[in-house]
Amino acid sequence: MEYDKLLRQLNLDESLLGTLGIEFEQFTPDCVICTMPVDTRTVQPFGLLHGGASVALAETAASFGTAINIDLSTHVPVGLEINANHIRGKREGIVKAVATPLHKGRTTMVWDIRLTDEEERLICISRCTVAIIKKR
C-alpha cells in the first residue's frame, strides 16, 4: 500500500497524532520520517520535551513503518514493546524521528528510531517491537 493512500484512509487529525502535531516527511517500507513540535502540547510541566511524547512519536513511526509493509485489509500493527533512552532535553522547536527496520517478520517487526533536533543532535533513541495481528 502506498503512503498517500494509507494516510487518506485514516483520520489522523482526530487521533493522538493530530493532538501532538505529528506530521510525516517520508514514508517507505524501509524508512519512516516524521516530525513533532516541541510546544505546550508536548512538554512536561518543567518546560522540557516530555519523554512520553518522544515515545509516542517513536511508536508512531514504527507502527506506520509496519503498516506500509503489511496487508491492512487482513492485519493491523500494534505496539508490543518499546524502550527509550532520553539523551538530551529540548525546550522548543521540532524533533524528527527516523525509523528503520531491524527485523521484518511475519508476526512482528522491530524498529530502530532516532529522534534528533534541527541540528541533528540526538534527543532520544528508541527500539519498538510491533506485533502484526489478524483483523477481527
Side-chain angles (χ1 to χ4, degrees):
M1 170 172 291
E2 86 181 45
Y3 159 75
D4 291 330
K5 183 178 177 184
L6 174 62
L7 293 182
R8 280 192 307 269
Q9 288 179 346
L10 304 171
N11 189 355
L12 301 181
D13 288 339
E14 293 187 22
S15 70
L16 183 65
L17 281 71
T19 301
L20 297 180
I22 295 172
E23 296 182 355
F24 292 92
E25 287 188 359
Q26 181 178 330
F27 195 96
T28 70
D30 292 312
C31 183
V32 172
I33 299 175
C34 46
T35 61
M36 181 179 69
V38 180
D39 61 20
T40 56
R41 298 171 289 179
T42 58
V43 297
Q44 36 95 314
F46 305 105
L48 291 166
L49 176 61
H50 194 292
S54 294
V55 170
L57 178 62
E59 186 167 333
T60 296
S63 293
F64 275 76
T66 300
I68 201 169
N69 280 286
I70 64 175
D71 181 354
L72 291 174
S73 68
T74 59
H75 292 79
V76 292
V78 294
L80 181 63
E81 186 274 339
I82 190 164
N83 69 51
N85 292 90
H86 307 290
I87 308 298
R88 176 187 302 271
K90 185 150 176 67
R91 293 188 178 275
E92 60 184 12
I94 300 286
V95 288
K96 176 173 68 173
V98 177
T100 55
L102 299 171
H103 165 73
K104 287 191 201 179
R106 187 177 48 79
T107 59
T108 62
M109 292 191 189
V110 180
W111 292 80
D112 174 73
I113 310 99
R114 295 174 184 266
L115 277 62
T116 57
D117 66 10
E118 297 88 343
E119 286 80 43
E120 298 294 320
R121 293 179 297 196
L122 189 62
I123 301 296
C124 176
I125 187 163
S126 181
R127 187 185 66 238
C128 183
T129 303
V130 180
I132 302 163
I133 62 171
K134 191 170 181 84
K135 275 188 174 180
R136 292 183 181 171

